[in-house]
Amino acid sequence: MTTAKPAAKAAPKTSVKPVRIPAAATAAARAAKAAATSKPAGKAAAKAVAQPVVAEKASAEKQAPKAYRLLTGIDDENFCARVSEALANGYELYGSPSITANGGKIYAAQAILLKPVAKKKKKK
């Protein structure tokens, strides 16, 4: 005696349309991936690749400091030193710190705000 198996149900039709990604975005993504995976062909090529990174760091240092930052990391003396350095650079604590444990390590987060600069009063 054979048992008849129930017929498989057809998948329900959905009205989801495929998303078109602009050709420029995919080309840029391919170029970035190729640049990340390619190896420089010697010392001259390595220097050419390293120079733009140095220029980016220099321009980042010239920018004004951010008004709000969230410092995060493993709760150790390194994290405490980062918070202390920020306080010395004109930031103030904003709210309470947040602490959590994950995988046996304790992580901390602290929000900081840049202190507003006091405006000088004009003499009349």
Side-chain angles (χ1 to χ4, degrees):
M1 186 190 300
T2 60
T3 308
K5 294 182 182 179
K9 293 183 180 179
K13 292 185 178 182
T14 61
S15 62
V16 177
K17 295 181 181 179
V19 178
R20 282 197 85 177
I21 300 173
T26 56
R30 280 194 298 267
K33 184 177 179 182
T37 57
S38 66
K39 295 181 182 178
K43 291 181 181 180
K47 285 183 180 179
V49 171
Q51 287 176 351
V53 174
V54 173
E56 288 176 13
K57 285 185 180 180
S59 65
E61 290 173 1
K62 292 179 184 177
Q63 294 176 355
K66 294 183 170 128
Y68 171 86
R69 291 174 54 196
L70 180 66
L71 301 176
T72 60
I74 296 174
D75 189 20
D76 59 2
E77 52 187 64
N78 240 359
F79 179 76
C80 295
R82 288 176 42 217
V83 173
S84 297
E85 180 184 356
L87 294 175
N89 288 333
Y91 283 89
E92 58 187 15
L93 300 177
Y94 182 77
S96 302
S98 177
I99 300 175
T100 188
N102 186 4
K105 292 184 180 179
I106 298 175
Y107 294 90
Q110 176 64 59
I112 55 175
L113 290 176
L114 192 57
K115 290 181 186 176
V117 177
K119 294 182 180 178
K120 294 182 180 180
K121 293 182 180 179
K122 293 182 181 179
K123 293 183 179 180
K124 292 183 178 181

